[in-house]
Amino acid sequence: MDKILEGLVSSSHPLPLKRVIVRRVVESAETPLSQAQCRAMFALSTRLVLQGPDPFQRQVGRQVLEAYGRYHRAEFEAFFNRGLVLGLLQRGYGELSNRDPAILDYIQAGLRLIMSCPSVLELFELLQVEALRLVCERPAPPLCARLCQLLGDFPQCLPRGRKLSLAFCQQLVRSIAHFQSQGSREAELRLYVSQVTQVSGLLRSVWKAEPDTLLPSLQELFAVISAADTSFEPSVALASLVQHIPLQMITVLIRSLTTDPNVKDASMTQALCRMIDWLSWPLAQHVETWVIALLKGLAAVQKFTILIDVTLLKIELVFNRLWFPLVRPGALAVLSHMLLSFQHSPEAFHLIVPHVVSLVHSFKRDGLPSSTAFLMQLTELIHCMMYHYSGFPELYEPILEAVKDMPKPTEEKIKLILSQSAWTSQSSSLPSCLSRLSGKSETGKTGLINLGNTCYMNSVIQALFMATDFRRHVLSLNLNGCNSLMRKLQHLFAFLAHTQREAYAPRIFFEASRPPWFTPRSQQDCSEYLRFLLDRLHEEERTLKVLSSAKTSESIMNEDSQTQEAVHKAQVFAEAPCMGSEERTLIQKMFGGKLKTTICCLNCKSMSQKEEAFTDLSLAFCPPTSLENIGPKCMERSEVKDDYVVQTNTSATSPAGGTPLNNLEVNGGCDTIMNEGTIKDFSTEPNSENTASSELNKVQDNRDMSQRLVGKNTLSVTDLLNYFLAPEILSGDNKYYCEKCASLQNAEKTMQIIEEPEYLILTLLRFSYDPKCHIRRKILDNVSLPLVLELPVRRATSPLAVVSGGWSVGVEISDIGENLAKKLKPSGADEVTCPQLVPYMLSSVVVHSGVSSESGHYYSYARNVTGSGPSGLCHQSTALSLVSPQDKLLTEESPCTVVENELDAEMPREWFLFNDSRVTFTSFQSVQKITSRFPKDTAYVLFYKKQNSTCGFNTNSANGLWVNGDPPLQKDLMDAITKDNKLYLQEQELSARTQALQAASASCSFRPNGFDDNDPPGSCGPTGGGGGGGFSTVGRLVF
């Protein structure tokens, strides 16, 4: 029968005829045959199955083998013995190699036929050994997949015993690492993926059946991917194993891996890079989860060098994976984490920037819901990065144009995402034995290190930094090549805005800005320092402008290009946009206002006027006795110099109506500016015995107001401002010399603000000199701080005020009699003299804690306030209009009070407390209650921001490139910050490694009684800080 069948399959007869005859042969298998005949049929069918030249012959062989083996099982059992199987696996069959998958096909078919025979047990034992030998020979994917299929169908063939089973799993992992696809066509790639899936599926089954094999398999996996052998690159097919690792193990495995001292940085870097390569593997699940977990774990133990190297090496590859829909979700998750956590430098983000636009257009062309969803996620990521690294318009402009139709995340959401993603915020994977090294606080703000009683400087710098428009102007200046104090301030502001450090040490700025008479390492007056600093910056800029003018003239004459370049550098301060007159310095533009002082002789009514510039107002406290009759204040020691006063020829007719005092009252409170000639002596009582009778009505009006002041338990900034602006009577030893009267006369001195600053700085004069003890005592009275303030400003538009470009000017007045009286009327009959109420909002408060100016501590409260108010709030004049400036000024429920309450309720966590190195969130209620809670802590210097201002930076500029409101930094500044951020990460990493070594040394010490009962919770005991013994094996893993 075997000869007939052999001749038939090799004949040239038609195929249908052959099939009919083969069917007859197969049916004849039921008939009894001799042992020799059966053996001949088994040998022929085996040869056809393994060496058949065409599919028809191989099919015939399988049909005959199955039929005759079923009906002649004993004979087949004798034929399909150990010797046959071992020969096939070790030597092959004829010309057929032993590594051909057909060998395993044949063996699997034979096992099915003898499953019920006793000899199959012997074959199982043989195959257990041969399977291990086979995987050790690194079979190709087809053979390995076929072997795994056989072992999956016959698990009895899997190596038994812990040692053999572990060896089999580890060797199978290494075999997968050698897999390579043999083709690039889709069909070939699909077949390759299915073969890898078959192999990884077998490993999953083994891990599930024998859990003890899982951890050694993962050890082998890490050993493969962390190897530094450049001649061998492990296959990305290893990614197929990740989906089979239980996610419950992720925390303990990552912790063990990142804290193992035996894992070198180079090995970890190599392993992480290869894991990121696994994102290219289709259908693999959870790869991105493990990659992100490992990235977080490394950040938690401050191994920043690895993170930096891996990010820069692989960020472009991860971005390119977004082009492929199958792997896009995982790639986007890893890309987002890598970019958002890489916050010390724009280098990683800028590597992918050139490729963003084309990817966005591709997503838009797809039009698929999935592509649109991914585009929205990508757009949010890009906006976060451009917000964090503004200042590269040539790079970002095409991207902004491409995503202009997509939703843009709010600034609050961007800040939250960035704060949660920074490396220094990753603490979830920290081992309990390591203390967390702090990075930037959750506020996103940077503290200033106290260099030795320098809190007076730190508090002032933080208040200036939080003056948003001032900060933006400083950062926008082009100061390259300039070693000025403004350049150092710009450097300090840039670091406060962009450093990764929790606190920055301003040593260079401190040495450059410290007044010469300030003793180092001793406490100083922050108001004095602030005034000195602003004066220095102002004078420095004026000097540069003078030099610029001289060099400009020289360049015109010489036409020398080098001189023109020097002129350009000297003109840097004049380059801040949107600031009005080019003759004014930045300090004048931001903090400068004008005050008009008028002195009226009470005998002849002649008047003298002078305009003075100011950068801050100093508010004296009202003497308690003068509150009872707050008439015109008496100045006994004020100097009235001849060059300060210009006499006017006026009639003796007394002014009609009241004084301007009532019109100068403010709703909401305001601070005054410190000028030496305007400080009030609060030990002096008003003396009006020589006052003309025309002033008695004025005194009575002021007494009415004083009664309201006395009725209040707490003074407000408004009260102090009113006292500052109230008329003063020059009498007694301080009489005024009137040129018209040619004698000393009683006079009235009044002050009016005629030009308001962008930022109004108010200093509360809390330190009075005690002549007995020769010290400056502190006034600890509580002063309420209004959130919203309206400042009365009398514009200098009348002929009474002739404005010049200087800081001080005298004005001669020729008005007499009723013309003068008309201009001084409080009723608002003339628009020129009716004050305009300019709204201000509280921006910063510098607090002094202590009882003396020579001791104590300074800290500051601050928030971001722009020209339109926090959160874009604009204060309309109608909303804050007053029924009467005098009647409504001191009422308990003024419109401003209502607005304050609404603003504070609507803007939680917008206030910050800057206390040297520490920065925390706080609230306006905390600011208001600070003195009532801590009697020695009192508000000292206040910053108010003018609202509805048009000279601040437009953060919604046409090009949309100032995405975080601040202007782009100069390249040298950005480079310096990037360099320092890298240095900071290295410092953190070194400290973390030192702690890890100390912890490892402590945990390895010999403890005869198990562990010390005195260990604090979470310490490094033998069980890893209270973790129990369940994970002790994992805790000792060496990956």
Side-chain angles (χ1 to χ4, degrees), residues 473-698:
H473 279 80
V474 171
L475 292 176
S476 71
L477 296 172
N478 182 9
L479 300 173
N480 288 336
C482 180
N483 192 31
S484 62
L485 182 61
M486 182 65 80
R487 170 64 173 176
K488 294 179 175 64
L489 180 63
Q490 183 187 57
H491 186 276
L492 177 55
F493 277 7
F495 269 80
L496 285 176
H498 297 283
T499 184
Q500 292 289 300
R501 296 181 182 273
E502 181 184 27
Y504 181 74
R507 291 185 178 86
I508 296 176
F509 186 80
F510 172 68
E511 293 299 330
S513 64
R514 179 174 58 86
W517 59 90
F518 275 20
T519 305
R521 307 191 70 82
S522 64
Q523 186 60 278
Q524 304 293 342
D525 188 334
C526 76
S527 175
E528 186 179 2
Y529 173 78
L530 173 61
R531 197 172 301 113
F532 175 81
L533 176 62
L534 296 182
D535 287 347
R536 273 279 309 274
L537 293 171
H538 164 71
E539 292 299 332
E540 183 182 75
E541 183 177 352
R542 287 209 308 177
T543 302
L544 284 174
K545 286 185 175 182
V546 171
L547 294 175
S548 172
S549 301
K551 291 184 178 180
T552 301
S553 302
E554 182 180 348
S555 66
I556 293 175
M557 296 175 61
N558 300 331
E559 297 182 356
D560 184 71
S561 60
Q562 294 181 350
T563 306
Q564 291 177 359
E565 182 180 356
V567 170
H568 170 71
K569 291 182 179 179
Q571 290 176 326
V572 291
F573 287 98
E575 295 182 359
C578 190
M579 288 308 299
S581 171
E582 291 301 325
E583 295 301 319
R584 305 177 67 200
T585 66
L586 178 59
I587 300 303
Q588 288 176 295
K589 295 169 185 176
M590 288 286 100
F591 304 102
K594 284 188 178 179
L595 196 68
K596 182 171 70 175
T597 303
T598 302
I599 298 180
C600 176
C601 175
L602 297 181
N603 181 40
C604 67
K605 303 305 177 186
S606 62
M607 299 183 68
S608 299
Q609 289 186 333
K610 181 185 178 181
E611 291 182 8
E612 242 184 338
F614 65 81
T615 53
D616 75 305
L617 296 175
S618 296
L619 303 184
F621 280 73
C622 315
T625 54
S626 66
L627 280 174
E628 299 175 2
N629 53 357
I630 191 171
K633 291 172 287 185
C634 180
M635 293 184 65
E636 294 185 351
R637 291 187 296 273
S638 295
E639 296 183 8
V640 184
K641 299 178 181 179
D642 292 339
D643 62 347
Y644 180 90
V645 178
V646 180
Q647 294 292 334
T648 61
N649 297 322
T650 61
S651 170
T653 308
S654 51
T659 69
L661 172 62
N662 295 337
N663 287 15
L664 289 171
E665 293 172 355
V666 242
N667 180 22
C670 169
D671 294 318
T672 52
I673 299 170
M674 177 66 181
N675 287 297
E676 293 182 1
T678 62
I679 300 177
K680 312 305 183 295
D681 181 358
F682 27 101
S683 65
T684 306
E685 296 185 10
N687 180 6
S688 57
E689 75 175 338
N690 295 326
T691 304
S693 61
S694 60
E695 299 301 319
L696 295 179
N697 293 335
K698 186 189 316 180

